[in-house]
Amino acid sequence: MTRKLVIPDDFPPLYRDHSQIERLKSFGELVHYETMAADGDELAGRLMSADVVVNVQRFNTFDRALLERVPRLRLLALFGTGTDKVDLAAATDLGIVVTNTPAATSISVAELNMGLLLDVARSISFSDHKVREGVWHSEFGMQLRGKTIGLVGLGAIGGEVAGMAKAFGMRVVGWSFRNDPARASRLGVELVDLDELLRTADVISLHVRNTPEAAGMIGRREIDLMKPGAILINTARAAIVDQDALIEALNSGRIAGAGLDVHIEEPLPPDNPWVKMENVVLTPHSGAMTQDAFDREAVIGVDNVAAFLEGKPTNVVNPAVLTRRR
């Protein structure tokens, strides 16, 4: 039986002419979809006879119900690091190996993170809109040098942001689930507890994965601890933050602004409250959207497929599956 590989979600098409496509074709029959599946039934149909799925974009949810409908699937190779749309326990139970591309996008996401910070701190988008409307109006903003940035999470992206913030002359404090003093020292980050970080930082920047322990961790209590006039930047996952509490804090002016690349519902609906808020800068989950990052994802993602097919899986995010894989 010919091995079948499926790219179910390349929309808008990014991968059509990429050099790594030929590598994938060398592993077996490749089916490449350049539209979004309309629903779970259509997605299941696309994957029904797949041995390997290479998930390029981040629209699809691989829950237990879907995974149970794809009996041949042995490898789910994700581009990017996020696994919040995959039921890893179900994949493990079913013997499906899940891989990702760690650190491939870290620099690009960190750069967008700093771009959002600069935009919010100096009202760049707001001022641009006013000038285009014929209004010559300037806003007092936040100078970054000498300010404190608090990094919630010190993984690959948090580490990159730490270096960039230090280049701006900012004091960098951090907190992470791992509480790794050696890593913090290498990054030049002062470890503090989360409450202290929230109370003292002028900028809160989120860099934790959307795990069960992280979901909702920045709730109403935590937002209330933030300094008056603080800025929140989120290029991680929207579910980490209590959206209603953040909206209230921004509308009341208790905190100055937010830069948000991630949203509970994507694409963002036009009636979403963020759309009308002038102290919020929005981007469409585009932190990883540079050619450099995509090329790294493509190479590492296909390397993961090759390693799996050779019987030596790499970058496995559900390692317990290795004793029971299909």
Side-chain angles (χ1 to χ4, degrees):
M1 184 180 295
T2 302
R3 181 187 297 129
K4 185 173 181 179
L5 300 90
V6 176
I7 299 174
D9 65 333
D10 189 13
F11 175 82
L14 299 174
Y15 210 43
R16 178 186 300 154
D17 300 318
H18 202 281
S19 61
Q20 296 301 309
I21 283 284
E22 294 305 314
R23 284 185 69 199
L24 284 176
K25 289 179 179 177
S26 73
F27 301 143
E29 177 192 356
L30 177 65
V31 181
H32 183 183
Y33 292 95
E34 297 184 347
T35 59
M36 291 174 60
D39 52 33
D41 287 337
E42 182 176 348
L43 179 59
R46 293 181 179 189
L47 308 184
M48 189 61 64
S49 58
D51 300 286
V52 173
V53 168
V54 181
N55 201 64
V56 175
Q57 303 279 14
R58 296 166 177 82
F59 301 115
N60 295 324
T61 297
F62 296 90
D63 56 19
R64 183 178 291 272
L66 174 66
L67 295 175
E68 287 178 343
R69 296 174 68 181
V70 288
R72 283 180 52 177
L73 183 60
R74 298 165 54 214
L75 172 66
L76 174 57
L78 305 174
F79 278 24
T81 58
T83 59
D84 51 304
K85 291 195 172 184
V86 180
D87 187 332
L88 293 177
T92 302
D93 291 344
L94 296 166
I96 301 167
V97 175
V98 182
T99 61
N100 67 355
T101 57
T105 64
S106 300
I107 295 170
S108 293
V109 176
E111 288 179 348
L112 180 72
N113 199 89
M114 294 305 293
L116 286 170
L117 172 53
L118 286 166
D119 196 333
V120 177
R122 298 303 306 273
S123 302
I124 295 172
S125 292
F126 175 77
S127 297
D128 174 80
H129 295 155
K130 290 298 182 185
V131 171
R132 292 172 188 272
E133 292 169 358
V135 179
W136 200 256
H137 172 79
S138 297
E139 291 279 326
F140 276 112
M142 177 189 291
Q143 176 178 290
L144 298 186
R145 179 174 292 186
K147 299 300 191 297
T148 297
I149 185 170
L151 305 180
V152 180
L154 294 174
I157 297 170
E160 293 290 346
V161 173
M164 295 175 189
K166 288 173 73 68
F168 274 88
M170 302 186 79
R171 173 188 175 225
V172 185
V173 300
W175 173 92
S176 72
F177 285 110
R178 293 184 179 181
N179 190 30
D180 185 346
R183 175 166 174 76
S185 178
R186 288 194 302 272
L187 295 172
V189 175
E190 178 187 343
L191 278 182
V192 296
D193 67 43
L194 184 57
D195 283 3
E196 181 180 352
L197 183 152
L198 294 167
R199 282 194 297 263
T200 60
D202 301 287
V203 177
I204 311 296
S205 190
L206 304 181
H207 305 289
V208 293
R209 294 182 181 181
N210 185 24
T211 61
E213 60 185 341
M217 65 177 291
I218 306 298
R220 190 173 303 275
R221 171 188 171 277
E222 288 74 23
I223 291 171
D224 286 345
L225 286 176
M226 291 172 62
K227 290 176 66 173
I231 290 171
L232 178 75
I233 306 295
N234 190 2
T235 55
R237 286 294 187 269
I240 295 165
V241 182
D242 181 325
Q243 304 290 289
D244 291 337
L246 180 58
I247 288 170
E248 289 175 16
L250 288 163
N251 276 333
S252 69
R254 208 192 68 73
I255 65 173
L260 307 175
D261 184 47
V262 288
H263 314 282
I264 295 295
E265 186 177 355
E266 297 179 355
L268 196 66
D271 60 348
N272 187 282
W274 301 127
V275 174
K276 297 180 180 180
M277 299 175 69
E278 293 182 335
N279 57 346
V280 177
V281 177
L282 303 170
T283 48
H285 205 151
S286 56
M289 290 300 295
T290 66
Q291 191 66 53
D292 303 85
F294 186 71
D295 287 344
R296 285 192 294 272
E297 284 186 305
V299 171
I300 297 171
V302 178
D303 284 348
N304 288 342
V305 175
F308 173 83
L309 296 177
E310 292 168 2
K312 302 174 182 178
T314 54
N315 296 317
V316 177
V317 295
N318 60 334
V321 77
L322 296 179
T323 59
R324 63 178 78 175
R325 55 183 169 158
R326 288 176 175 172

